[in-house]
Amino acid sequence: MTTLIRLRDWVDERAPGLGALVRKHYTQYYAPKNLNFWYFFGGLNLLVLVNQIATGLFLAMNYKTSAAEAFASVEYIMRDVPWGWLIRYMHSTGASLFFVTVFLHMLRGIMYGSYKKPRELVWLLGSIIFLVLMAEAFMGYVLPWGNMSFWGAKVIISLFGTVPVIGHSLVEWIMGDYLPADATLNRFFALHVIALPLVLLLLVVLHIFALHEVGSNNPDGIDVKHGPKGNRWDASKPIDAIPFHPYYTIHDIFAAVFFVTLAAFVVFYAPTFGGWFLEHDNFTPANNLVTPSHIKPQWYFTPFYAILRMIPSYFGTPVWGVLAMFGSILLLMLLPWIDHGQVRSVRYRGTGFKVALAMFVASFLGLGAVGAGVTAEVVARWFPGADVTSWENAFGRLMTAGYFGFFVFLWIYTRYGLERTRPLPPRVTPDA
């Protein structure tokens, strides 16, 4: 311990700014004392990000960025590289679990109003992180060069063809060819391994710094009180707040142990997760002459893919579907300016907001089911002879209306003073 203290003092003497940075954002950062399990997911996001970077680095050491060798190199990693199978499964499972934690993290932000003043910049940076993460995941999905990787790349990149005038040239520029091939793999590999991770790390740091400037929100959605009547140890510290370390360090370590245990179970016993985490069509080499029976993206893209599919094509172009798909993400980014409500937390918001939020979550899950083809399978199994396409389209468009309707309702509901809220407590309330 004495050696560690001496090392700390040695570093502080030579880099005093580093010690001040650690104290400001970790050891002496005060967070509300009533944070509940919903606040686990921010730390878990960091944990999975570290896993993805570390395992991705080892995978890159044996990966070949060539259409002729990419698939075989992944098989070589799985079969011949010592512990390569474990690293590959940790990476593929981590990708899916990353989106699980990100979606729950964003849901918590919407529930407790973490996007409202003064945390608009925190939310905006988080939304940009989500966009970059989607691009990172898509490019990583293409690299194994299985058959679904090839056709998924072709379909998604072809969407840029809807851009007026330059669309077709833009598609060829992104692919580097007329079809996904060597140039596509080289570009996606460079972006996936170098460029986007650097952007992601920068945005995560900015996201955390911005959060610590304004302070963490809490389940009550009210500001922690400041004043002379602070905690009993130090009257200069904020009321109802506790140091992040050691209290929330232990809080997050407990969550991390539980999360890693679940992740290990998936990695060792169900790495494909029934085709959800690793699709069966991706265990066959890419073939531009053999189209998979159902081209669909990974599960975390399916809600947005369903929105694309549910918007009818006009004049032979899916431009409106593409706009709706990107608009569904843009609306999330604009949420601080759509919601004019004066109360942050769902605990004290009006009944209309609670119902709308529940319908929004249900619509998002419903769109995921449509995009993954689950809806069509259910209809075909339970209603033999029914027009599967018509039923799927009807359900998908209803879910699409529910998704976009949340933002329209929220703007009208709060903009024109229709919300009836409950009184806020004077101080943050203890959480079980």
Side-chain angles (χ1 to χ4, degrees):
M1 184 60 69
T2 304
T3 303
L4 291 176
I5 292 174
R6 287 177 180 174
L7 179 61
R8 183 200 64 189
D9 294 340
W10 187 86
V11 173
D12 279 345
E13 184 179 349
R14 288 155 181 78
L18 182 61
L21 188 70
V22 172
R23 287 189 291 273
K24 178 179 179 180
H25 294 284
Y26 184 55
T27 58
Q28 294 180 9
Y29 173 68
Y30 276 71
K33 67 181 182 182
N34 66 335
L35 302 187
N36 56 22
F37 81 97
W38 283 103
Y39 289 82
F40 285 145
F41 299 108
L44 294 179
N45 286 334
L46 281 176
L47 175 65
V48 181
L49 177 60
V50 171
N51 172 77
Q52 294 305 96
I53 292 174
T55 55
L57 177 64
F58 283 101
L59 290 173
M61 293 177 183
N62 294 282
Y63 179 75
K64 305 291 186 182
T65 55
S66 161
E69 300 175 295
F71 184 84
S73 71
V74 175
E75 291 298 302
Y76 171 73
I77 291 170
M78 292 288 293
R79 298 173 186 274
D80 297 325
V81 175
W83 300 103
W85 63 271
L86 178 60
I87 295 171
R88 197 269 175 103
Y89 283 151
M90 286 176 64
H91 196 74
S92 61
T93 301
S96 287
L97 294 182
F98 208 164
F99 278 93
V100 170
T101 57
V102 165
F103 284 144
L104 292 174
H105 188 60
M106 295 177 72
L107 175 60
R108 188 266 296 166
I110 298 174
M111 284 173 53
Y112 294 143
S114 298
Y115 55 86
K116 298 181 73 66
K117 186 179 179 180
R119 299 179 180 86
E120 299 97 330
L121 181 59
V122 179
W123 178 263
L124 191 59
L125 286 168
S127 300
I128 297 173
I129 289 172
F130 180 57
L131 273 177
V132 174
L133 184 61
M134 293 178 75
E136 174 80 348
F138 168 65
M139 292 179 184
Y141 180 66
V142 174
L143 294 182
W145 210 235
N147 206 31
M148 189 63 79
S149 294
F150 173 86
W151 287 98
K154 187 176 186 306
V155 169
I156 297 302
I157 297 174
S158 296
L159 294 178
F160 290 93
T162 60
V163 177
V165 182
I166 64 170
H168 293 294
S169 299
L170 185 61
V171 170
E172 291 179 17
W173 179 74
I174 294 172
M175 288 186 185
D177 207 330
Y178 295 106
L179 287 173
D182 285 357
T184 315
L185 279 176
N186 277 288
R187 295 174 185 193
F188 280 21
F189 180 77
L191 290 170
H192 181 76
V193 175
I194 301 173
L196 291 181
L198 290 176
V199 173
L200 201 56
L201 285 172
L202 174 62
L203 288 170
V204 167
V205 170
L206 293 176
H207 183 65
I208 294 173
F209 281 8
L211 171 66
H212 288 187
E213 284 297 324
V214 295
S216 298
N217 191 27
N218 60 83
D220 285 321
I222 62 176
D223 295 328
V224 173
K225 299 294 185 284
H226 292 75
K229 294 181 180 180
N231 60 52
R232 60 181 177 176
W233 295 282
D234 188 345
S236 66
K237 302 304 180 185
I239 302 172
D240 296 332
I242 54 179
F244 188 88
H245 177 76
Y247 299 102
Y248 285 115
T249 301
I250 301 301
H251 180 273
D252 287 349
I253 288 175
F254 169 79
V257 170
F258 183 76
F259 180 79
V260 168
T261 302
L262 290 178
F265 180 85
V266 176
V267 168
F268 288 110
Y269 295 101
T272 66
F273 212 71
W276 288 91
F277 287 5
L278 285 173
E279 294 176 321
H280 304 308
D281 283 319
N282 241 19
F283 286 93
T284 57
N287 188 338
N288 62 356
L289 300 178
V290 179
T291 308
S293 56
H294 298 286
I295 300 177
K296 57 186 179 181
Q298 282 288 80
W299 70 267
Y300 36 80
F301 293 139
T302 52
F304 309 104
Y305 176 65
I307 291 174
L308 168 69
R309 286 180 51 204
M310 290 303 110
I311 305 299
S313 298
Y314 294 100
F315 308 109
T317 175
V319 62
W320 295 108
V322 174
L323 290 174
M325 181 180 67
F326 286 109
S328 65
I329 303 172
L330 179 63
L331 285 173
L332 286 171
M333 300 176 67
L334 298 178
L335 199 53
W337 297 276
I338 293 174
D339 183 3
H340 295 273
Q342 301 302 308
V343 174
R344 294 176 187 150
S345 176
V346 68
R347 291 181 176 182
Y348 306 102
R349 299 203 66 161
T351 303
F353 176 83
K354 296 176 182 178
V355 173
L357 180 60
M359 293 181 64
F360 173 74
V361 173
S363 298
F364 187 80
L365 295 175
L367 285 169
V370 172
V374 174
T375 307
E377 292 176 7
V378 170
V379 172
R381 177 176 298 179
W382 291 100
F383 303 98
D387 187 344
V388 174
T389 302
S390 297
W391 278 95
E392 185 183 41
N393 287 345
F395 180 75
R397 286 166 186 168
L398 178 64
M399 295 297 101
T400 302
Y403 182 93
F404 287 101
F406 170 74
F407 298 98
V408 175
F409 171 81
L410 188 60
W411 187 80
I412 296 173
Y413 186 60
T414 58
R415 180 69 176 80
Y416 295 101
L418 303 178
E419 186 172 26
R420 297 295 178 263
T421 60
R422 292 172 53 200
L424 296 174
R427 291 171 54 180
V428 296
T429 56
D431 207 86

